[in-house]
Amino acid sequence: MAHSSETVAELPAITADPASQLVSSSGSLFRKKRFYNHHTPQAMTVPGLFRLLGRYLFARPAVPAPIGPVPVPVHALTASQLLVPSVDTLYRLGHSTLLLKLNGEFWLTDPVFAKRASPLQWIGPKRFHEPPLMPEQLPALKGIIISHNHYDHLDEMSIKALASRCEQFYVPQGVGRKLQQWGVAAENITEFDWWQSVQVGGTQLVATPARHFSGRGLFDTDRSLWCSWVIRSPALSVFFSGDTGYFDGFKQIGEAYGPFDITCIETGAYDRDWPDVHMLPEQSLQAHLDLNGCYMLPIHNGTFDLALHDWFEPFERITALAAAQQVPLLMPQIGEPVQLSVPQYWYPWWRQHESELVGIIEAMGTD
């Protein structure tokens, strides 16, 4: 496997997936020890950087985080509760952390259970809500699937707590080195380039392209890869976007692996100043359509304040956009079970604080 860390074990079954031959796609670009997008995001200019700084200082959103004694409803979970459903089930644990029960096996995406998405737990974006359960309460995991190494997707505390509870970690190239530093055994890590896949029992995992970047400090920018994921069981096909800007890769993934029963698409932490690496809601919906998805689950929202929009804005915007396009959404509360065979009705739970939202929502509608 190209560009793989020499110290990270690889599963013999990992291959370039035949389905990727249906589109004119290739693996990631790697040169001079860095990974690159096929469509390079536009670099921010110096005037743009000063404009963005001014917005952060003087144009903060009215409601960047929820208010009230119980700002975000959370359904507390226990391991025994998770073991009960016999059907395929999804639980949104916050931000981009999803727990999937497929064929009776548990899979976890981008686990972040820390109080802050930050290298330091006394400063940085703080959670709006507690997790529905902590890592040590999770049942045994068949696998953990990671999209990239940013702090809101890869958390040291969570990985250390989960290392003994997870059979295998599935990560983009270069991420395995960090996991080993945190105590994960090399043989329990499998690294992927774009369009590579592995069959794990009845579940197929495919690392697919994304348009983003990586880094956890000043000197490791793009030293590891970023990706989206296709997760296919005999009964269901799920797409997990990780973080990404909009690009034509969604159409390629849809051609190779669609249709998808559920697309889990980032819809949050967006801004007009960085659309190349985080999609605006209109682009998130278009990505779902490009992928030939049925139900859409907006993720990357409702947990951390990472941008210059009100915390509830992603929910409101994607709800209106999806209604106009007749796209069925999944909008569960944190920890609420979603039966994937027959997804249930949802309601706009984020509107529970009417005094907080009503005037702002009306103002948004007049923009």
Side-chain angles (χ1 to χ4, degrees), residues 123-187:
I123 193 171
K126 188 177 181 180
R127 297 184 75 95
F128 299 160
H129 59 82
E130 292 297 320
L133 76 174
M134 295 307 290
E136 58 271 15
Q137 297 174 289
L138 284 166
L141 300 171
K142 188 67 176 178
I144 290 177
I145 300 166
I146 293 172
S147 65
H148 64 299
N149 73 353
H150 285 159
Y151 285 94
D152 58 323
H153 294 261
L154 182 63
D155 169 49
E156 179 178 359
M157 179 276 288
S158 301
I159 296 299
K160 288 181 175 179
L162 291 166
S164 63
R165 311 183 70 83
C166 177
E167 188 173 311
Q168 196 75 14
F169 288 79
Y170 300 92
V171 305
Q173 291 185 3
V175 174
R177 190 179 304 109
K178 179 61 68 176
L179 299 189
Q180 287 189 69
Q181 292 174 5
W182 295 341
V184 179
E187 60 269 22

Side-chain angles (χ1 to χ4, degrees), residues 31-49:
R31 56 181 180 269
K32 296 183 179 179
K33 299 183 179 181
R34 296 186 188 276
F35 291 90
Y36 294 84
N37 292 286
H38 286 288
H39 304 274
T40 304
Q42 184 175 353
M44 184 170 289
T45 63
V46 173
L49 185 61

Side-chain angles (χ1 to χ4, degrees), residues 167-229:
E167 188 173 311
Q168 196 75 14
F169 288 79
Y170 300 92
V171 305
Q173 291 185 3
V175 174
R177 190 179 304 109
K178 179 61 68 176
L179 299 189
Q180 287 189 69
Q181 292 174 5
W182 295 341
V184 179
E187 60 269 22
N188 294 337
I189 302 168
T190 307
E191 291 193 335
F192 292 74
D193 195 2
W194 293 341
W195 301 114
Q196 289 186 319
S197 73
V198 69
Q199 191 74 30
V200 185
T203 301
Q204 182 191 30
L205 305 178
V206 187
T208 43
R211 189 186 191 191
H212 202 56
F213 64 106
S214 67
R216 296 175 67 85
L218 296 176
F219 306 108
D220 67 339
T221 301
D222 297 340
R223 298 285 186 177
S224 63
L225 187 58
W226 48 94
C227 70
S228 56
W229 288 93

Side-chain angles (χ1 to χ4, degrees), residues 11 88-91 93 97-111 138-146 166-170 192 198-205 229-233:
L11 291 183
D88 292 342
T89 309
L90 177 149
Y91 303 85
L93 305 185
T97 305
L98 305 174
L99 182 65
L100 292 163
K101 186 176 186 180
L102 302 175
N103 289 327
E105 298 173 333
F106 289 95
W107 300 84
L108 190 66
T109 68
D110 287 359
L138 284 166
L141 300 171
K142 188 67 176 178
I144 290 177
I145 300 166
I146 293 172
C166 177
E167 188 173 311
Q168 196 75 14
F169 288 79
Y170 300 92
F192 292 74
V198 69
Q199 191 74 30
V200 185
T203 301
Q204 182 191 30
L205 305 178
W229 288 93
V230 172
I231 307 167
R232 304 170 87 181
S233 73

